Amino acid sequence: MAYNPGHMKWWAWGYPDADFDSHAHPGFWPFAKEQLGVEGEGFQTPPVPLEAVQLPEPNINARFLAELGSVLHPGQISDTRFERVVHAYGKGFRDLLRLRRGLAGGAPDLVVYPENEDDVVAILRAAAHHNVAVIPFGGGSNISGCVERMDTHRMAVSLDMRRMRRVLAVDVKSFTARSEAGVFGPDLEEQLAAHGMTLGHFPDSFLHSTLGGWIATRSAGMQSDKYGKIEDMVVALRVVTTDGVLATRAVPKSSNGIDPNHLCIGSEGTLGVITEATMRVHPCPESRFVPVWIFPDFASGVEAMRECVRAECTPSMMRLNDADKSALSAAFRPPSTRLSRTAGAIFKRVLRARGFRLSQACLMLTSFEGRKSNVARRLRQVGTIYRKFGAVGLGESAGKSFESTKYDFPHVRDFLFDRGVSADVSETSALWSNILPLCAVSLAALRSAISGTGAKPWAGCHIGHTYQCGANVYLTFAFAQRPGEEMEQYLKIKYAVQQSFIEHGATLSHHHAVGTEHLPWLAADISPLGVKAIAALKRGLDPGNIMNPGRLAPSDDALEIWWRAGGPGKARTTAESAALPARKIRT
Amino acid sequence: MAYNPGHMKWWAWGYPDADFDSHAHPGFWPFAKEQLGVEGEGFQTPPVPLEAVQLPEPNINARFLAELGSVLHPGQISDTRFERVVHAYGKGFRDLLRLRRGLAGGAPDLVVYPENEDDVVAILRAAAHHNVAVIPFGGGSNISGCVERMDTHRMAVSLDMRRMRRVLAVDVKSFTARSEAGVFGPDLEEQLAAHGMTLGHFPDSFLHSTLGGWIATRSAGMQSDKYGKIEDMVVALRVVTTDGVLATRAVPKSSNGIDPNHLCIGSEGTLGVITEATMRVHPCPESRFVPVWIFPDFASGVEAMRECVRAECTPSMMRLNDADKSALSAAFRPPSTRLSRTAGAIFKRVLRARGFRLSQACLMLTSFEGRKSNVARRLRQVGTIYRKFGAVGLGESAGKSFESTKYDFPHVRDFLFDRGVSADVSETSALWSNILPLCAVSLAALRSAISGTGAKPWAGCHIGHTYQCGANVYLTFAFAQRPGEEMEQYLKIKYAVQQSFIEHGATLSHHHAVGTEHLPWLAADISPLGVKAIAALKRGLDPGNIMNPGRLAPSDDALEIWWRAGGPGKARTTAESAALPARKIRT
């Protein structure tokens, strides 16, 4: 009946037929091997077959099941192996490691597919009545551990929102659209385009994530400089709690006390299920340009970004790679031709003549979109500023190539995983005055932590999502796995980089959510009183702790289970214990 | 020691030496008399002398007082008649009516002046320990009943923040400033100007309101189209609760769960005291223009505003008066000269030649500020759009005259009060598609309610504070008082207009807060579950109900006291009972 986008591979990113095409990027694997000191084709670690995945014994609450059967039709309920495994985790490093090794301790006992808000109300009412945990599930793209079950002592249900995908109303006069929250990115944009509108939200996960998931995790799209972060786009919400529906009004702004939208935005499924959202939308842009520039070094690129903010002329997107990440981008080039080699050689000569040290050069990807006349003018203003900071324009071809492959990057992690290489990201945000110090200190922490595990480190960063007072700092890192100790190795490294963020004035994440992955830093980020406030909200709206238990407002023993590796009941490894922050946070 | 801006008159708006100068606006009183059917100099109702004001018997908690004495110096504590009366209320219509009649049932037993965060921590700790109510007080400019005490069964203290006025740090590189929250508007701007910066927040109450008050009530400044509403400017907060300090980090954006800043913004003193805020600031504008236009009618003005949004070229301010409010503006003109009369006559002829019906014509006040080149271009773009909708430019003189008197308007209410005329405002926000219908229906409700009290109605509206999806709708109204029934009359009218907002898709207020004045509509606005969420937050952070009790998350019998007139212990009037909404909201 309802349109139902397929699930991603259970052990990796993307649809079953989508993979990283190494032939289209012949320079990448040689580059990675050299950087990471990997020999041959690496340490081969394919995933186990689906049949070999260890699932927890289903914990079935018969009365809950009976009540569910009276409100949903059989096609809305599933307990198959595949459904349980594919809903066990998101796509974080630890999730994929566990799944590839056949550990699915986070799997729910059942998956339900509501088709309208009444279904969600009925499911939550039944769950509250029978003490069953409910884990809202959008596209399952989250990489911070937002969707795994946290205990096995009661039944857990994954509530998959993908059938609630209709855009319900577009108010073209007010530039708003009201939509069911289970709609995926491409489906949403297609429905809005029929009205000449766009949401303008294009996160890396765009193909595999939902409107409700974006709101519940405070997602950011690539063009957030123009359209804002998702929290800036929300006009009104409907959120089903175990006690009924929290609904806010579609008005541009209000002074009605504590903003009720912001009580739900970022709630990560802990208060209820976001079933509907009214969002700001925009006329589809008349014009779009994606020029790329090259800066002599990272600092001048950062200064140029800030100068655009000061001069009130930011592009729709600015993404500045540091020198290491620029080298990685170069390694991603398509197969070279004689012409491209010649052009490249000439260009390098030009850069050297301009005083560039090529090892320091940094790529800046940009996009400009909107009204034709505004775009043209903005392009001129930004070009003038960039040149002032020594940038050389590369034209649009590299930008178009980035655009065409922008949703493919997550596949690279799986390609590397197959070859015994761990790759991951950590990101945060900081004030302009803190950007360069923070990049330096967190990259150093990262490299030192990787070296500490006996591996050769590769780490780079980029700056994107600019705001008036600062920007997002996004680190990418990779290292050869120590066979059998992949989890310990990862946790030590992840701990080091998160700790460096928090110790140096940054936040635990700019757009990847708290989940279980960043929960150890929540109290340091928002202060113990902040955690207490959220716990109070949780207790008030979900007294039975039905909704996505264990996130944001954890119980006292949560620290014991936050960084476990194997799933409920599994002991933590030595390394995990070592990686735990010293202070226990009581809420 | 610390700089201490003086208090406003206890019975009226503004400093003791500031009044509405009717000689500078000779046309105003004749205009008002004609519109309202008032004879001669009206029904004279001067305020009672301070000595005649009835104060509640002080409820002194000796142990609390002793604990306070051990942490504060004597100059920080006051219980004089003047201090108690001036902290009894804000400046809402009911507040001023009660004070002029000598009723100060809302007065605290004591006023304290903390000088740093430690003082606030100590005061709140002592209050929680001894069950004393604490009412945070900024400038006392609030018109929604945010600062009066709600019961007399325990001691109540007004915590006046004005001595915490220092800007602590300005990060010119990141465009942020960290400041104590008790700083008043002019003082803040002066301290920022020393760094070449401005907050860009200029509410009508600018002279008499504080940074913390703005944040606690979700204030909006005149140039919000450029700088945002106060909630858009907050980067980080420190909020003292009875259990310690909730502190957030100065980062541009985060995905750290439910946004802890937004748990405090708009909390109206119910969770704690905002002691410090890090705000986005901006380089002082290079250039500033304040041109005024005249539109053939209201609808074309609204369409022009929306077109500016669509074309991504809004001014820093757009304020469109409807025909009635435009006529009021005309009545505010300075004394005419032969030259001005001649110019006026010529201009009217020009307008008629262009097809204007003068009774329909609407004034649009605008301002443009920022970088010189941006301002000039924006001005051209907006001019082109306005002319497309039939507008005629009036140049800057009317705009400059508005600028020079913009903070004087609240004095007019007191001038009228002296003459037996009630004047007040109600405001909300709505989507663009709802602006014209809402204006029509709420103005009709207002006029009908005024007529229903036997008075001749005057009502007008303006549209300001534009957003991508809609704008603020601001109604102004006046009517001759029925002597002895002023309160009943006011409540019936206020009820009608608020009810029309809520019944027609708008919100209870865009920037005037909930307080006691709008509390009856909170559950309808944010849904009963929204109120429940806020009550949960309140219970969690303030289990003793110490902080500004009775607001946002009222107790079950709150409805009984929300719309009372005389202060604690006074019975409601018949009219107040009639005005209460039918549904009792349980939280």
Side-chain angles (χ1 to χ4, degrees):
Chain A
M1 186 202 84
Y3 165 90
N4 186 342
H7 287 294
M8 285 197 266
K9 289 174 254 191
W10 58 266
W11 74 95
W13 185 266
Y15 291 125
D17 59 353
D19 274 311
F20 175 65
D21 179 3
S22 61
H23 301 295
H25 308 279
F28 171 68
W29 180 230
F31 172 85
K33 288 202 295 181
E34 193 212 321
Q35 295 289 322
L36 303 171
V38 171
E39 306 281 318
E41 282 309 292
F43 170 62
Q44 302 291 308
T45 58
V48 302
L50 179 60
E51 295 67 39
V53 174
Q54 297 165 36
L55 280 166
E57 202 58 41
N59 183 342
I60 297 300
N61 183 318
R63 289 181 188 176
F64 170 73
L65 215 55
E67 189 169 335
L68 218 55
S70 72
V71 287
L72 304 182
H73 62 76
Q76 293 181 269
I77 305 174
S78 174
D79 64 355
T80 66
R81 166 167 284 266
F82 173 75
E83 289 278 354
R84 290 183 67 203
V85 171
V86 87
H87 289 90
Y89 297 111
K91 300 297 181 192
F93 176 85
R94 284 200 279 172
D95 301 337
L96 300 184
L97 174 62
R98 284 179 287 188
L99 287 167
R100 292 173 75 105
R101 300 291 187 262
L103 301 170
D109 302 304
L110 198 73
V111 180
V112 293
Y113 289 94
E115 291 173 358
N116 53 55
E117 190 176 279
D118 288 346
D119 287 350
V120 179
V121 170
I123 294 164
L124 264 56
R125 192 188 298 127
H129 194 195
H130 301 289
N131 189 29
V132 169
V134 175
I135 303 165
F137 193 96
S141 66
N142 186 275
I143 62 169
S144 298
C146 288
V147 297
E148 73 186 272
R149 90 186 292 167
M150 297 303 279
D151 63 62
T152 49
H153 70 265
R154 57 175 170 169
M155 187 173 182
V157 175
S158 181
L159 186 150
D160 188 314
M161 286 291 290
R162 70 189 62 213
R163 294 187 192 174
M164 292 181 62
R165 53 164 290 275
R166 288 172 306 158
V167 171
L168 301 167
V170 177
D171 179 347
V172 293
K173 205 170 163 72
S174 307
F175 309 108
T176 59
R178 188 162 64 86
S179 176
E180 290 180 321
V183 66
F184 278 65
D187 190 9
L188 173 62
E189 283 295 327
E190 198 178 309
Q191 293 183 66
L192 292 176
H195 299 267
M197 294 287 166
T198 177
L199 179 63
H201 188 71
F202 304 100
D204 290 354
S205 65
F206 179 70
L207 302 177
H208 302 290
S209 53
T210 63
L211 175 59
W214 300 334
I215 296 170
T217 58
R218 294 167 71 190
S219 165
M222 293 186 197
Q223 311 207 54
S224 64
D225 294 6
K226 179 177 174 70
Y227 299 107
K229 208 158 164 257
I230 200 81
E231 55 259 48
D232 307 314
M233 306 179 185
V234 173
V235 178
L237 292 174
R238 289 183 69 86
V239 180
V240 176
T241 74
T242 55
D243 192 30
V245 182
L246 195 164
T248 65
R249 297 197 154 211
V251 293
K253 282 276 182 182
S254 182
S255 172
N256 54 8
I258 297 167
D259 187 340
N261 284 335
H262 277 289
L263 298 179
C264 306
I265 295 170
S267 58
E268 301 190 8
T270 60
L271 302 181
V273 180
I274 299 169
T275 50
E276 208 179 287
T278 303
M279 307 296 290
R280 287 167 42 185
V281 294
H282 304 259
C284 292
E286 287 175 5
S287 178
R288 178 166 167 77
F289 287 94
V290 291
V292 172
W293 274 272
I294 187 157
F295 280 81
D297 54 45
F298 191 57
S300 54
V302 171
E303 259 320 295
M305 296 174 99
R306 185 183 159 279
E307 177 61 21
C308 289
V309 169
R310 201 183 71 81
E312 304 175 343
C313 65
T314 51
S316 313
M317 180 188 91
M318 293 194 272
R319 190 160 170 152
L320 174 71
N321 289 341
D322 74 353
D324 288 294
K325 214 154 176 187
S326 297
L328 175 64
S329 294
F332 263 104
R333 269 188 310 245
S336 64
T337 60
R338 188 177 300 176
L339 183 65
S340 72
R341 280 191 297 274
T342 311
I346 293 171
F347 186 67
K348 279 183 185 168
R349 225 174 301 155
V350 171
L351 289 181
R352 281 200 200 91
R354 294 219 187 180
F356 274 61
R357 290 170 57 198
L358 292 181
S359 65
Q360 301 298 308
C362 292
L363 274 183
M364 172 88 85
L365 300 161
T366 64
S367 79
F368 295 76
E369 65 176 55
R371 305 265 287 188
K372 213 175 267 182
S373 58
N374 289 350
V375 164
R377 186 179 52 248
R378 188 63 55 107
L379 204 50
R380 281 195 304 275
Q381 290 175 299
V382 170
T384 304
I385 291 170
Y386 282 9
R387 280 188 291 274
K388 203 174 92 188
F389 288 91
V392 175
L394 291 183
E396 279 205 290
S397 67
K400 284 183 174 157
S401 146
F402 172 78
E403 292 270 304
S404 68
T405 58
K406 63 187 172 186
Y407 300 128
D408 297 344
F409 295 124
H411 292 295
V412 175
R413 194 172 43 152
D414 300 309
F415 172 86
L416 291 173
F417 223 138
D418 285 339
R419 286 155 184 80
V421 170
S422 293
D424 206 27
V425 297
S426 264
E427 49 80 53
T428 184
S429 81
L431 298 179
W432 287 118
S433 58
N434 193 22
I435 292 280
L436 291 180
L438 183 77
C439 288
V441 78
S442 57
L443 282 168
L446 197 44
R447 290 186 181 118
S448 152
I450 296 174
S451 299
T453 72
K456 187 177 171 195
W458 184 88
C461 79
H462 74 255
I463 310 294
H465 307 292
T466 66
Y467 303 93
Q468 200 218 342
C469 63
N472 170 229
V473 171
Y474 198 107
L475 309 188
T476 307
F477 52 96
F479 50 90
Q481 292 170 355
R482 294 169 62 98
E485 294 173 33
E486 299 90 343
M487 186 66 82
E488 282 187 278
Q489 198 183 9
Y490 169 79
L491 289 174
K492 277 185 179 160
I493 294 161
K494 177 75 183 171
Y495 178 78
V497 63
Q498 288 297 130
Q499 194 66 15
S500 77
F501 291 164
I502 289 295
E503 283 172 3
H504 295 92
T507 182
L508 59 81
S509 167
H510 167 267
H511 60 266
H512 282 162
V514 182
T516 50
E517 199 73 359
H518 302 133
L519 200 48
W521 291 275
L522 186 61
D525 192 334
I526 69 173
S527 78
L529 259 287
V531 177
K532 187 179 170 185
I534 289 167
L537 204 49
K538 166 80 173 172
R539 259 196 314 280
L541 290 185
D542 181 24
N545 195 22
I546 298 301
M547 298 307 307
N548 210 10
R551 274 82 181 181
L552 295 190
S555 59
D556 268 2
D557 63 347
L559 200 61
E560 297 298 314
I561 54 171
W562 285 340
W563 274 45
R564 71 194 169 158
K570 299 274 170 174
R572 279 179 287 108
T573 66
T574 330
E576 286 180 276
S577 300
L580 290 172
R583 189 157 49 96
K584 182 152 176 171
I585 302 146
R586 297 201 171 267
T587 56
Chain B
M1 185 201 87
Y3 165 89
N4 186 343
H7 288 293
M8 286 196 268
K9 288 174 254 191
W10 59 266
W11 76 94
W13 186 265
Y15 290 125
D17 59 351
D19 273 311
F20 174 65
D21 178 3
S22 62
H23 302 295
H25 309 278
F28 171 68
W29 180 230
F31 172 85
K33 288 202 294 181
E34 191 212 321
Q35 294 290 322
L36 303 170
V38 171
E39 306 280 320
E41 282 310 291
F43 170 63
Q44 301 292 310
T45 59
V48 303
L50 178 61
E51 297 65 38
V53 173
Q54 298 165 37
L55 279 166
E57 202 56 43
N59 183 341
I60 297 299
N61 184 317
R63 288 182 188 176
F64 169 74
L65 216 54
E67 188 168 336
L68 217 55
S70 73
V71 288
L72 304 182
H73 62 77
Q76 293 182 271
I77 304 175
S78 174
D79 64 354
T80 66
R81 167 167 283 266
F82 173 75
E83 288 278 353
R84 290 184 67 202
V85 171
V86 87
H87 288 91
Y89 298 110
K91 300 296 179 193
F93 176 85
R94 283 200 278 172
D95 301 337
L96 300 185
L97 174 62
R98 283 179 288 187
L99 287 167
R100 292 172 74 104
R101 300 292 186 264
L103 301 170
D109 303 305
L110 198 74
V111 180
V112 293
Y113 290 93
E115 292 174 357
N116 53 54
E117 191 176 279
D118 287 346
D119 286 351
V120 179
V121 169
I123 295 163
L124 265 57
R125 192 188 297 126
H129 194 198
H130 301 289
N131 189 29
V132 169
V134 175
I135 303 166
F137 193 95
S141 66
N142 186 275
I143 61 168
S144 298
C146 288
V147 297
E148 74 187 88
R149 91 186 290 167
M150 298 302 279
D151 62 61
T152 48
H153 70 265
R154 57 176 170 169
M155 186 174 182
V157 175
S158 182
L159 186 150
D160 189 312
M161 286 290 291
R162 71 189 61 215
R163 294 189 192 172
M164 292 180 63
R165 53 163 290 274
R166 289 173 305 157
V167 172
L168 302 167
V170 176
D171 179 348
V172 293
K173 205 171 162 72
S174 307
F175 310 107
T176 59
R178 188 161 64 85
S179 177
E180 290 181 322
V183 66
F184 278 64
D187 190 11
L188 174 62
E189 283 294 327
E190 198 178 310
Q191 292 183 66
L192 292 177
H195 300 267
M197 295 285 165
T198 177
L199 180 64
H201 188 72
F202 304 100
D204 290 354
S205 65
F206 179 71
L207 302 178
H208 303 290
S209 53
T210 63
L211 176 59
W214 300 336
I215 296 170
T217 58
R218 293 166 72 189
S219 165
M222 292 185 196
Q223 312 209 53
S224 65
D225 294 8
K226 179 177 173 71
Y227 299 107
K229 208 159 164 257
I230 200 81
E231 55 259 49
D232 308 314
M233 305 179 186
V234 173
V235 179
L237 292 175
R238 290 184 68 85
V239 180
V240 175
T241 74
T242 55
D243 192 28
V245 183
L246 195 163
T248 64
R249 296 196 155 213
V251 293
K253 282 275 181 183
S254 181
S255 171
N256 54 7
I258 298 167
D259 187 340
N261 284 334
H262 278 287
L263 298 180
C264 307
I265 295 169
S267 57
E268 300 189 9
T270 60
L271 303 182
V273 181
I274 299 169
T275 49
E276 206 179 289
T278 303
M279 306 297 290
R280 287 167 41 186
V281 294
H282 305 259
C284 293
E286 289 175 4
S287 178
R288 178 167 166 78
F289 287 94
V290 292
V292 172
W293 275 273
I294 186 158
F295 280 81
D297 54 45
F298 191 57
S300 54
V302 172
E303 259 319 296
M305 296 174 99
R306 185 183 160 277
E307 177 62 20
C308 289
V309 170
R310 201 182 72 80
E312 304 174 344
C313 64
T314 51
S316 312
M317 181 190 89
M318 294 194 272
R319 190 161 172 153
L320 175 71
N321 289 341
D322 75 353
D324 288 294
K325 214 155 176 185
S326 298
L328 175 63
S329 294
F332 264 104
R333 269 188 310 243
S336 64
T337 60
R338 187 179 298 177
L339 183 65
S340 73
R341 280 191 296 275
T342 311
I346 293 172
F347 185 67
K348 280 184 184 167
R349 224 175 301 153
V350 170
L351 289 180
R352 284 201 198 90
R354 294 218 189 182
F356 273 61
R357 290 169 57 195
L358 292 182
S359 64
Q360 302 299 306
C362 291
L363 274 185
M364 172 88 85
L365 300 162
T366 63
S367 80
F368 295 76
E369 65 176 54
R371 305 266 285 186
K372 214 174 265 183
S373 58
N374 289 348
V375 164
R377 186 180 53 248
R378 190 61 58 105
L379 204 50
R380 282 195 303 277
Q381 290 175 300
V382 170
T384 304
I385 290 171
Y386 282 8
R387 281 187 290 275
K388 203 175 91 186
F389 288 92
V392 175
L394 290 184
E396 281 203 289
S397 66
K400 284 183 173 156
S401 145
F402 171 78
E403 292 272 304
S404 68
T405 58
K406 62 188 173 186
Y407 300 128
D408 297 344
F409 295 123
H411 292 294
V412 175
R413 193 173 43 151
D414 300 310
F415 172 87
L416 291 172
F417 222 138
D418 285 338
R419 287 154 183 79
V421 170
S422 292
D424 205 26
V425 297
S426 264
E427 50 80 52
T428 184
S429 80
L431 298 179
W432 287 117
S433 57
N434 193 22
I435 292 281
L436 291 180
L438 183 77
C439 288
V441 78
S442 56
L443 282 168
L446 197 45
R447 290 185 180 118
S448 152
I450 295 174
S451 299
T453 71
K456 188 178 172 194
W458 184 89
C461 80
H462 74 255
I463 310 293
H465 307 292
T466 66
Y467 304 93
Q468 200 218 344
C469 64
N472 170 229
V473 170
Y474 198 107
L475 309 188
T476 306
F477 52 95
F479 50 89
Q481 292 170 356
R482 293 169 63 97
E485 295 174 33
E486 299 90 343
M487 187 65 84
E488 282 187 278
Q489 197 185 10
Y490 170 78
L491 289 174
K492 277 185 177 160
I493 292 160
K494 178 74 182 171
Y495 178 78
V497 63
Q498 287 297 130
Q499 193 68 14
S500 78
F501 292 163
I502 290 294
E503 283 171 3
H504 295 92
T507 181
L508 58 81
S509 167
H510 167 267
H511 61 264
H512 282 161
V514 181
T516 49
E517 199 72 359
H518 302 133
L519 201 49
W521 291 274
L522 186 61
D525 192 333
I526 69 172
S527 78
L529 258 287
V531 177
K532 188 179 169 181
I534 288 166
L537 204 49
K538 166 81 172 169
R539 260 196 314 279
L541 289 185
D542 182 24
N545 195 23
I546 298 302
M547 298 307 307
N548 210 9
R551 275 80 180 182
L552 294 190
S555 59
D556 269 3
D557 63 346
L559 200 61
E560 298 297 314
I561 53 171
W562 286 340
W563 273 44
R564 70 191 170 159
K570 299 273 168 177
R572 280 179 287 108
T573 66
T574 331
E576 286 179 274
S577 299
L580 291 172
R583 190 157 50 92
K584 181 150 176 170
I585 301 146
R586 295 199 172 271
T587 55

